[in-house]
Amino acid sequence: MTVKGTVLVTGGAGYIGSHCALYLRENGWETVILDNLSTGHKESALGQRLVVGDVGDGALLDSVFKTRSISAVMHFAASAYVGESVTDPAKYYRNNVVNGLALLDAMRRNGVSNLVFSSTCAVYGNPERTPLTETHPKAPISPYGFSKLAFERMAEDFSSAYGLKPVFLRYFNAAGADPEGRLGENHDPETHLIPLAIQAALGRRGPVTVFGADYPTPDGTCVRDYVHVMDLADAHLKAMEHLLNGGAPSAFNLGSGTGYSVREVVAMVEKVGGKSVPVIEGPRRAGDPPALVASSARALETLGWKPRYAELEAIVKTAYEWHKKQVGSF
């Protein structure tokens, strides 16, 4: 296969970044993964070029840019726990904003303008209406959300002043695993519902806590929009190609357009795995909106992107198969 170019993937040893790096390789792109391995896993690079270091290290970034002909940057490197961001906001502003500025400066110094940024629906805060479109007011309610929005604003200002070409991809709930079983979701600590429910079903952790059962939703539990990690990878590739083909900077929501409650997700894990999921009920968590559902119409219209794993069952199946193989990993 002819190599189409080289992409710098920051945070490419993490959950979403590693799936995107793999997808890029399978579609003819060479990757350079930059990851400090604070939350990523060396083995997730799957033999691709891995530079161990921090995205805030300007000299290291200059070295990568000067020794490789980088066509575009995909920026995943970030701290990403909402709750932790409330108790340790300094970490989030340092990692997500200060280090992000170092990356933008390095791109400017080295003449690289194409940027695809791993953003989040947390930039919107509590939804005024659903499904959420990209024109929804942005009012984050956590330092994590603020830090992601701050990077977006910095990139927009670099676009106006220096010609940076950014695309912001605002995910809803990333889930699932590589269908071939090479990669999956392995966080420590794990906070995402689907892997928690699967691990509970497999007897690798205790009961899943349902945080709040009195929301104004059909079954009283929070409703979320789940998007498969390989669909996210496809969106990143399409966003990069959009930029390389002269497309304008933009922001895109990425979701399935369908919401599932906590109880529906637990029931689906039980259906897919054939094992019960132990559940206990707890109080609501501060800042949890009742429902978050995406409109991805802009991504369809502009990028030609739509989820291939649109159904919750398909998402859960890939995750369940990966977790079953991880004997002794948890």
Side-chain angles (χ1 to χ4, degrees):
M1 182 186 294
T2 302
V3 175
K4 298 176 181 177
T6 304
V7 183
L8 174 61
V9 184
T10 74
Y15 171 44
I16 302 172
S18 64
H19 284 79
C20 285
L22 173 62
Y23 192 72
L24 284 168
R25 184 176 70 181
E26 291 182 334
N27 282 275
W29 291 87
E30 185 175 69
T31 61
V32 178
I33 294 170
L34 175 63
D35 200 299
N36 65 11
L37 302 182
S38 60
T39 56
H41 306 278
K42 185 176 181 179
E43 59 272 19
S44 294
L46 296 180
Q48 297 171 90
R49 179 179 173 84
L50 171 64
V51 177
V52 179
D54 200 275
V55 76
D57 186 340
L60 178 61
L61 289 169
D62 285 341
S63 174
V64 171
F65 282 121
K66 291 185 189 315
T67 57
R68 314 290 290 190
S69 180
I70 303 295
S71 303
V73 175
M74 291 188 181
H75 180 37
F76 299 92
S79 297
Y81 291 111
V82 173
E84 182 188 52
S85 79
V86 175
T87 58
D88 191 6
K91 175 180 178 180
Y92 281 70
Y93 290 119
R94 185 178 304 110
N95 287 349
N96 299 359
V97 181
V98 177
N99 288 355
L101 177 59
L103 174 64
L104 295 177
D105 278 336
M107 291 181 66
R108 181 189 174 202
R109 285 194 303 272
N110 291 279
V112 178
S113 60
N114 299 305
L115 172 67
V116 182
F117 175 51
S118 166
S119 194
T120 170
C121 65
V123 301
Y124 297 117
N126 288 320
E128 296 177 2
R129 57 187 180 272
T130 57
L132 284 133
T133 66
E134 293 83 357
T135 60
H136 187 283
K138 292 182 282 292
I141 57 175
S142 69
Y144 167 68
F146 272 108
S147 70
K148 287 287 193 174
L149 183 58
F151 184 89
E152 286 194 15
R153 180 57 188 266
M154 290 193 303
E156 287 174 351
D157 291 341
F158 269 59
S159 178
S160 297
Y162 311 127
L164 183 76
K165 297 194 297 181
V167 166
F168 310 133
L169 299 181
R170 298 172 183 153
Y171 318 155
F172 281 62
N173 284 49
D178 167 45
E180 295 184 27
R182 294 164 293 182
L183 293 168
E185 188 168 8
N186 183 10
H187 296 119
D188 183 17
E190 184 57 75
T191 61
H192 293 170
L193 176 60
I194 289 175
L196 287 174
I198 292 171
Q199 291 169 21
L202 294 173
R204 295 174 182 167
R205 67 168 64 240
V208 173
T209 301
V210 176
F211 293 103
D214 58 349
Y215 284 96
T217 59
D219 66 15
T221 64
C222 286
V223 171
R224 295 292 183 265
D225 186 335
Y226 294 87
V227 56
H228 196 278
V229 66
M230 294 309 296
D231 284 326
L232 292 179
D234 184 52
H236 280 78
L237 177 58
K238 284 180 165 58
M240 183 180 75
E241 291 173 339
H242 165 79
L243 291 173
L244 293 172
N245 291 328
S250 191
F252 301 98
N253 289 343
L254 300 179
S256 69
T258 302
Y260 297 94
S261 73
V262 174
R263 295 196 195 283
E264 287 176 318
V265 171
V266 169
M268 183 59 70
V269 170
E270 292 179 329
K271 175 185 175 183
V272 167
K275 297 177 182 291
S276 64
V277 177
V279 170
I280 58 175
E281 291 189 0
R284 292 188 185 190
R285 292 182 298 196
D288 265 351
L292 287 172
V293 180
S295 167
S296 299
R298 181 188 286 183
L300 173 61
E301 179 182 352
T302 306
L303 304 178
W305 177 85
K306 61 180 179 180
R308 289 173 291 182
Y309 299 87
E311 301 297 324
L312 180 63
E313 184 169 3
I315 294 172
V316 171
K317 278 183 176 177
T318 62
Y320 211 109
E321 288 303 310
W322 185 81
H323 279 280
K324 279 200 305 184
K325 290 168 53 179
Q326 309 307 306
V327 177
S329 298
F330 299 97

